[in-house]
């Protein structure tokens, strides 16, 4: 019998080409990637021994009979077991990171093991094939087992994908079904035309599909620097965690790299990144280097953190303070470094990544260091922050934030005629949360915008309740965050909430801080003008805390200026501050503004602010922030008491 091996020879060349292009892809030594390489090895062996066996049988006079027996036996072992190798790859792709893949592989290798023993027994039984002393090749009665094993594993691979499809993305699912199907079709063609050898071609087709769609190095390598990308880094740390290997992550994050691109151009910016990547590669070996993001690189080093690693971090910090040269361009590129270790600092991939990102953000915010080591305390703080985010999200979803009210007294009438609304979370899974902790988180996450709208709605209902009970009240102050002024249609949203509650516009006073006015002067001025037209008043909060600008106050249509408590407290100790407070009160009154002093906590402070001609006083000496029911009762009782005093006066 004569066989046609042209297809096998061409397929082997294609196999070598695929191997050449895939050898640097998927550097993570995961079970899936190792099995992909195993598929290469088995396929190459099967095709090589198939071609060699065919040539030896075709020219028996040129080769010893025992050598032909040996080569053909290896071919019979490798060819059907290609199906088993591809089945194992499918298992690894489906159950990747599930932790039980090896157990499944061991049990499902039983048919392949039985077949291997059958091939060994063939040396004595000739049930698969025989080769006579003259070189004549004869098929044995169980030759069909060779195809059955291949079919068995091919069908099993498709069945695994169908049964456990929920574990996979649709695109991966399709690929894992297609490649064994194509391999099976090619083998069926070979059975129809037994003189044409196609088993290797079937495996090569399968390998090509796997490589193009699942193992392509373009999926794992950053095109600009040639480094493994973020996905490869994540896969590697997950693998190391499963193996309980000690390792450390050092992230280099460039500061303001957009400025480099703007100054030198995108092309030169890319050249600088390549220079930095080249340097990092030289100092990171034998450890792994990854491009973590657009302007971030990661060095993954093995073993516990020691003095040598500390030295390398210091060396890297010093190098980043020196200029980088690319062509005719030279510049210093500022950077920060974050370091986290496993398992000393964190024991999950999520905590490690969160820790690194938090350490980098802390380093960027710090003024005294460019390096931050993430430890247990930092991670505990980060976990608490994540919990606070969840609490804020839950309260926002359920509209369950508490609003406290701090009554404010008028120096002219002695009545509590206004109040400031204050956001509070008195009860949560973490216990009471204080504003100085959760307000910054709400602002960082952007939730403060919707939270403020909910507070405004609650304030309108509180004002209506006071009015319905015949309580004279001028209005309630609502604090606005700077993020509020980045919203399109802010004025319409505010007006809509007030109108929906049928609350008089004049009963609402919006408080903004000096920093908001400094950062968004034009936007705030336009908003304040529109609010003023509807009767909504604007108050400048915390005047005197560092952003004070009389010109901004003059240009913004304000109703009230609130003097920060630090001015009141300082005035009790320094004559200069006391004189300044009196002067400010006079100036603001001449500008047609009312003045409110906060932080009044004793009779001496009260006497001082009254002597300055200040219009309103806010502080613990008069009233603390109170829950809605207590605030309502306080205001009602205070006004009733005032009326009673007025009634008994002659």
């Amino acid at each position: 019998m004569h066989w046609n091996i042209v297809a096998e020879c061409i397929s082997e060349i294609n196999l070598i080409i695929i191997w050449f292009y895939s050898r640097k892809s998927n550097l993570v030594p995961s079970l899936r990637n190792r099995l992909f390489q195993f598929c290469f090895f088995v396929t190459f062996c099967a095709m090589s021994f198939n071609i060699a066996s065919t040539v030896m049988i075709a020219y028996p006079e040129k080769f010893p009979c025992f050598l032909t027996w040996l080569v053909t036996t290896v071919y019979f072992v490798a060819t059907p077991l290609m199906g088993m190798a591809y089945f194992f790859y499918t298992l690894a792709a489906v159950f990747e990171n599930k932790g039980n893949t090896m157990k499944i592989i061991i049990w499902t290798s039983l048919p392949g093991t039985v077949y291997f023993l059958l091939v060994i027994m063939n040396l004595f039984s000739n049930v698969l094939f025989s080769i006579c002393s003259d070189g004549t090749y004869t098929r044995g009665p169980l030759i069909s087992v060779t195809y059955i094993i291949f079919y068995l594993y091919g069908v099993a691979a498709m069945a695994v994908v169908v049964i456990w499809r929920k574990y996979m993305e649709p695109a991966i699912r399709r690929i894992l079904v297609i490649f064994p199907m194509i391999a099976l079709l090619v083998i069926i063609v070979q059975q129809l035309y037994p003189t044409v050898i196609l088993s290797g071609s079937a495996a090569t087709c399968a390998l090509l599909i796997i490589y193009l769609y699942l193992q392509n190095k373009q999926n794992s390598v950053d095109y600009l620097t040639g480094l493994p990308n973020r996905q490869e880094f994540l896969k590697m740390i997950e693998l190391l965690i499963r193996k309980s290997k000690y390792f450390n992550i050092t992230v280099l994050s460039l500061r303001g790299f957009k400025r480099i691109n703007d100054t030198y151009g995108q092309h030169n910016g890319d050249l600088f990144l390549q220079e930095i990547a080249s340097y990092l590669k030289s100092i990171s070996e034998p450890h792994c280097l990854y491009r973590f993001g657009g302007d971030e690189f990661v060095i993954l080093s093995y073993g516990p953190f020691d003095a040598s690693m500390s030295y390398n971090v210091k060396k890297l910090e010093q190098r980043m303070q020196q200029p980088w040269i690319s062509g005719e361009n030279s510049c210093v590129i500022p950077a920060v470094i974050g370091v986290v270790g496993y398992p000393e600092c964190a024991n999950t991939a999520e905590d490690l990544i969160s820790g690194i990102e938090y350490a980098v953000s802390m380093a960027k915010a710090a003024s005294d260091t460019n390096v931050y080591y993430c430890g247990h305390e930092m991670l505990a703080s980060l976990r608490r922050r994540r919990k606070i985010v969840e609490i804020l999200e839950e309260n926002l979803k359920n509209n369950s934030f508490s609003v406290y009210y701090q009554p404010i007294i008028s120096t002219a009438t002695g009545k509590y005629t206004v109040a400031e609304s204050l956001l509070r979370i008195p009860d949560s899974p973490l216990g009471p949360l204080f504003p100085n902790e959760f307000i910054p988180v709400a602002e960082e996450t952007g939730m403060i915008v919707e939270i403020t709208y909910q507070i405004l709605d609650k304030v309108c209902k509180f004002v209506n309740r006071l009015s319905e009970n015949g309580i004279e009240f001028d209005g309630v102050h609502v604090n606005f965050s700077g993020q509020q002024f980045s919203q399109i249609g802010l004025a319409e949203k505010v007006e809509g909430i007030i109108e929906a509650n049928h609350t008089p516009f004049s009963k609402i006073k919006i408080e903004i801080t000096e920093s908001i006015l400094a950062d968004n002067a034009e936007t705030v001025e336009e908003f304040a003008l529109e609010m003023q037209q509807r009767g909504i008043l604007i108050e400048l909060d915390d005047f005197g805390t560092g952003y004070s600008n009389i010109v901004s106050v003059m240009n913004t249509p304000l109703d009230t200026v609130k003097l920060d408590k630090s001015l009141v407290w300082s005035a009790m100790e320094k004559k200069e501050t006391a004189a300044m407070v009196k002067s400010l009160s006079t100036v603001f009154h001449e500008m047609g503004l009312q003045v409110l002093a906060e932080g009044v906590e004793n009779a001496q402070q009260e006497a001082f602010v009254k002597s300055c001609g200040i219009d309103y006083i806010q502080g613990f000496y008069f009233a603390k922030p109170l829950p809605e029911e207590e605030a309502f009762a306080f205001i009602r009782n205070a006004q009733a008491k005032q009326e009673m005093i007025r009634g008994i006066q002659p």
Side-chain angles (χ1 to χ4, degrees), residues 22 63 71 103 160 174 203 239 280 298 301 304 323 330 341 377 414 433 470 493 534 542 585 590 626:
S22 69
F63 302 96
V71 171
K103 291 181 180 179
V160 166
R174 286 193 295 270
L239 178 65
L280 292 175
V298 165
S301 50
S330 174
E377 290 184 5
L433 294 179
K493 181 71 173 179
R534 299 301 299 268
D542 298 335
S585 178
E590 290 179 355
L626 302 168

Side-chain angles (χ1 to χ4, degrees), residues 314-361:
K314 188 67 177 177
K315 180 180 176 183
L316 177 57
E317 181 186 16
Q318 293 173 349
R319 175 63 185 89
M320 294 308 299
Q321 295 171 358
Q322 301 171 9
W324 296 90
I325 300 174
S326 177
E328 298 179 354
N329 299 307
S330 174
C331 70
V332 174
I333 303 177
V336 298
I337 300 170
V339 183
V340 63
Y342 173 89
E344 300 94 340
C345 301
N347 50 24
T348 68
E350 181 182 5
D351 280 349
L352 286 169
I353 299 303
S354 297
I356 275 295
E357 292 176 345
Y358 193 58
V360 167
S361 67

Side-chain angles (χ1 to χ4, degrees), residues 299-492:
I299 299 175
L300 180 63
S301 50
Y302 306 116
F305 194 85
D306 54 22
S308 64
M309 291 185 60
S310 179
Y311 170 78
N312 289 335
V313 170
K314 188 67 177 177
K315 180 180 176 183
L316 177 57
E317 181 186 16
Q318 293 173 349
R319 175 63 185 89
M320 294 308 299
Q321 295 171 358
Q322 301 171 9
W324 296 90
I325 300 174
S326 177
E328 298 179 354
N329 299 307
S330 174
C331 70
V332 174
I333 303 177
V336 298
I337 300 170
V339 183
V340 63
Y342 173 89
E344 300 94 340
C345 301
N347 50 24
T348 68
E350 181 182 5
D351 280 349
L352 286 169
I353 299 303
S354 297
I356 275 295
E357 292 176 345
Y358 193 58
V360 167
S361 67
M362 293 293 288
K364 287 184 176 180
S367 58
D368 57 341
T369 182
N370 292 320
V371 181
Y372 243 85
Y373 294 88
C374 181
H376 286 295
E377 290 184 5
M378 184 180 290
L379 282 175
S381 174
L382 183 58
R383 281 191 287 269
R384 181 176 176 85
R385 183 187 181 279
R386 284 206 297 260
K387 187 63 179 177
I388 290 174
V389 170
E390 293 176 4
I391 293 169
L392 291 174
E393 289 174 340
E394 186 68 20
N395 278 271
L396 186 59
K397 177 183 176 182
N398 299 327
N399 193 12
S400 55
F401 287 105
S402 296
V403 180
Y404 279 42
Y405 297 88
Q406 185 172 22
I408 299 171
I409 195 167
S410 167
T411 55
T413 65
K415 292 183 179 181
Y416 293 98
T417 56
V418 291
E420 179 181 5
S421 61
L422 299 164
L423 176 63
R424 293 290 186 267
I425 304 179
D427 185 32
S428 79
L430 296 176
L433 294 179
F434 295 97
N436 61 350
E437 183 177 25
F438 70 79
I439 292 294
V441 176
E443 291 180 334
E444 290 169 16
T445 58
M447 283 189 280
I448 191 66
V449 173
E450 290 301 322
I451 291 173
T452 301
Y453 292 144
Q454 289 189 2
I455 299 306
L456 177 58
D457 181 69
K458 291 176 184 287
V459 165
C460 289
K461 291 177 170 55
F462 181 70
V463 169
N464 293 345
R465 182 183 177 190
L466 292 171
S467 177
E468 290 166 0
N469 284 270
I471 299 173
E472 296 180 10
F473 211 68
D474 293 339
V476 176
H477 300 188
V478 181
N479 291 282
F480 269 37
S481 165
Q483 290 197 24
Q484 222 74 34
F485 294 92
S486 64
Q487 304 300 304
I488 298 174
L490 171 61
E492 291 79 2

Side-chain angles (χ1 to χ4, degrees), residues 45 98 292 348:
C45 288
K98 299 297 186 299
F292 190 60
T348 68

Side-chain angles (χ1 to χ4, degrees), residues 19 53 124 134 174 192-193 237 247 276-277 281 286 349 415 443 450 491 498 550 552 567:
W19 175 82
S53 173
F124 311 101
D134 60 356
R174 286 193 295 270
L192 297 175
Y193 302 94
I237 63 172
F247 62 89
I276 294 172
K281 191 172 183 179
K415 292 183 179 181
E443 291 180 334
E450 290 301 322
I498 299 173
I550 296 294
S552 296
L567 292 177

